[in-house]
Amino acid sequence: DYDKQCDRLLLGIGDALVKDIGQQLKDFNIDFVKFELDREPTSFYKKLSRGFDDLQNNKRHERYVIIIDRRCPRYDGKYTLDNDSKTWPDRLYIFSPPKYNKISARCEVLPEGFVNRTMEYLLPLQKRRRRRRGEMSNNDKDNNSNSEDLAIGANCIANGYIFALSYHLYQINKVKVFFHSNGCGQRLTADETKYYWPRLFMKVGGKFQDALKTKNREEPP
């Protein structure tokens, strides 16, 4: 059995692993909304819109994180490349992070601030160990037991689980998108979405999915 001979990589950094993302957010007292997703694209947008309404947070210049967890609910690293044999729904989480969440009103002048926040913080991972009174030094007086010393950001490889899009919303008609994976990031333009991105997904019938769609459009009805 090939599957039993392989080590499955889990989401996390070192020994700090993430299983249930909802429970992870609860442990850090972060308000969030959660939905299970089906395969209908129209329902995805409806649920996304409803999720922001449920957060009841209309503040400006704040950052939101949206996570789609496609992992097997046993969190054992099992996966399938065939959607027809995938027996569990994806889970969607929306929350405003407690750190790296403020966006400067001058973001259009200093867009690097967007990138920095994405690189530094996507999901809290591990709380800082509470020190005993005798262990605390003068430099540690500002620390507290509720602040985390480890977080997953787009600058982390996290065993290959980071596959993120960062939307920089300047105005209603001005949006820039960055793609992050394996600790790196790059600007994602319309052309790159069309030609580069399909190379990162599984092939269908031995062909990249964009080539398959092009062929289908060219075939007469």
Side-chain angles (χ1 to χ4, degrees):
D1 189 335
Y2 180 77
D3 182 62
K4 293 182 179 180
Q5 298 177 38
C6 299
D7 291 330
R8 293 175 177 171
L9 295 176
L10 305 178
L11 172 59
I13 302 174
D15 294 330
L17 301 176
V18 176
K19 291 191 175 181
D20 188 325
I21 291 177
Q23 185 60 51
Q24 191 85 1
L25 295 173
K26 289 179 182 178
D27 291 343
F28 283 85
N29 299 316
I30 298 175
D31 293 330
F32 68 95
V33 294
K34 173 187 175 182
F35 292 101
E36 289 189 348
L37 301 176
D38 52 36
R39 299 187 183 183
E40 292 296 329
T42 54
S43 66
F44 170 80
Y45 294 113
K46 289 179 181 179
K47 289 181 178 180
L48 191 64
S49 177
R50 191 187 314 145
F52 280 107
D53 292 339
D54 290 345
L55 281 176
Q56 296 181 345
N57 186 350
N58 296 318
K59 296 180 182 179
R60 301 187 63 188
H61 302 297
E62 285 202 1
R63 178 171 163 254
Y64 290 89
V65 176
I66 301 172
I67 297 177
I68 298 178
D69 189 359
R70 307 204 70 204
R71 297 174 298 162
C72 172
R74 293 193 299 272
Y75 309 111
D76 58 359
K78 181 180 180 181
Y79 69 95
T80 174
L81 293 178
D82 183 1
N83 277 329
D84 292 332
S85 63
K86 183 170 173 286
T87 57
W88 60 86
D90 299 333
R91 285 86 63 198
L92 181 145
Y93 302 87
I94 307 174
F95 62 95
S96 181
K99 296 179 64 177
Y100 299 98
N101 63 329
K102 298 298 181 182
I103 298 174
S104 170
R106 302 183 62 194
C107 60
E108 203 160 355
V109 181
L110 299 171
E112 293 84 357
F114 277 120
V115 177
N116 173 259
R117 285 158 177 75
T118 303
M119 297 294 281
E120 293 295 333
Y121 195 104
L122 292 175
L123 182 68
L125 185 58
Q126 190 178 68
K127 289 185 178 181
R128 179 179 289 118
R129 182 177 68 87
R130 185 184 181 90
R131 298 190 181 191
R132 297 177 181 177
R133 184 176 300 175
E135 295 179 313
M136 185 173 290
S137 65
N138 291 334
N139 294 330
D140 296 324
K141 288 183 178 180
D142 292 334
N143 295 340
N144 60 74
S145 60
N146 293 323
S147 59
E148 59 272 23
D149 64 352
L150 192 60
I152 293 179
N155 58 358
C156 302
I157 296 178
N159 290 330
Y161 280 89
I162 301 299
F163 194 89
L165 288 176
S166 177
Y167 291 86
H168 302 180
L169 309 178
Y170 296 94
Q171 301 172 16
I172 192 172
N173 60 347
K174 184 178 180 180
V175 180
K176 293 183 180 180
V177 183
F178 283 74
F179 170 60
H180 297 270
S181 182
N182 291 323
C184 301
Q186 72 170 66
R187 178 75 186 281
L188 196 63
T189 64
D191 287 338
E192 287 164 328
T193 304
K194 184 176 180 180
Y195 297 107
Y196 164 69
W197 227 34
R199 272 66 183 166
L200 302 178
F201 292 84
M202 63 177 289
K203 294 182 178 180
V204 176
K207 296 182 179 180
F208 291 114
Q209 294 186 38
D210 62 330
L212 187 67
K213 291 180 179 179
T214 301
K215 180 180 178 181
N216 290 339
R217 286 196 297 266
E218 292 175 350
E219 290 179 352

